Amino acid sequence: MGRGRTNKIRLSAEQRQHLEALSRNGHAPVKKILHARVLIMSDEGEYGQQRWNDQQIGAALGLHRNSVARIRSSFLEQGEQAALNRKPRQTPPVPQKLDGEKQAHLIAICCSPPPDGRTRWTMKLLVDELKARSIVTQIGRETVRCTLKKTNCARGKSSVTVFPNAMRHAL
């Protein structure tokens, strides 16, 4: 994969100009600049000035020759954007503790009257209530706080709706 070059890159004048501008401006992420330099050095078209092999490109840029070959093959198979940009994640690294249904339960608890002897729901009381109702097995106060902050829910206040701004705009 890394030694002999079976797939050759031939950049057009505008592709080469775009990659050179990207590698010189200094405002792009470092990996993107590095990948652009690999593509420029791999160019064997009429605008490519020096013939570099994977070993030389890797040594010049501090990469392994297999990384150079992978970037080049990504460019040939999927195009310039795939070779320069990272692939976006399909799923988040940590799944959400509270999905839509569980958030609805949390909001319903928050809008209900607080327990006896309390004037409002605290984060600890909400966490304990979620666990007591078996909505979740384990959850932290910060997760509950962030969820309530997203919904503009005020703990313990009697309001017509959880989303007061939505009602004001609807009128």
Side-chain angles (χ1 to χ4, degrees):
M1 179 174 170
R3 289 186 187 237
R5 203 187 272 198
T6 58
N7 44 11
K8 297 182 180 187
I9 291 180
R10 287 182 168 68
L11 296 173
S12 67
E14 63 184 38
Q15 281 179 323
R16 186 171 184 87
Q17 186 178 15
H18 174 258
L19 291 172
E20 286 176 346
L22 181 69
S23 67
R24 287 191 182 128
N25 72 4
H27 294 293
V30 174
K31 287 246 184 194
K32 194 172 193 176
I33 293 172
L34 192 63
H35 287 207
R37 287 183 180 161
V38 167
L39 294 175
I40 291 168
M41 294 171 90
S42 298
D43 183 20
E44 293 187 10
E46 62 184 85
Y47 302 104
Q49 295 172 347
Q50 184 179 0
R51 303 269 190 244
W52 296 74
N53 65 23
D54 292 350
Q55 193 75 30
Q56 292 170 332
I57 294 171
L61 298 176
L63 294 171
H64 193 273
R65 66 174 188 232
N66 292 345
S67 296
V68 174
R70 189 185 69 247
I71 294 166
R72 190 179 58 253
S73 67
S74 173
F75 174 79
L76 291 171
E77 292 169 6
Q78 299 168 356
E80 182 179 333
Q81 293 306 316
L84 293 178
N85 299 320
R86 293 183 62 171
K87 185 172 76 171
R89 281 197 139 164
Q90 296 297 323
T91 59
V94 178
Q96 285 186 337
K97 292 260 185 176
L98 294 176
D99 59 357
E101 184 180 340
K102 292 176 183 174
Q103 285 180 5
H105 284 291
L106 172 63
I107 292 168
I109 293 169
C110 188
C111 291
S112 67
D116 293 335
R118 301 289 186 141
T119 58
R120 65 181 348 187
W121 286 99
T122 63
M123 293 298 154
K124 178 140 177 47
L125 286 173
L126 288 170
V127 167
D128 293 342
E129 188 67 23
L130 286 172
K131 290 178 185 177
R133 292 188 186 186
S134 299
I135 296 170
V136 292
T137 55
Q138 188 175 5
I139 194 165
R141 289 181 290 171
E142 185 65 12
T143 304
V144 172
R145 185 192 70 78
C146 290
T147 303
L148 293 175
K149 185 176 180 182
K150 284 192 296 188
T151 60
N152 294 330
C153 183
R155 296 171 284 127
K157 286 188 177 179
S158 59
S159 63
V160 178
T161 179
V162 176
F163 305 101
N165 294 336
M167 288 301 290
R168 189 174 356 160
H169 294 297
L171 297 175

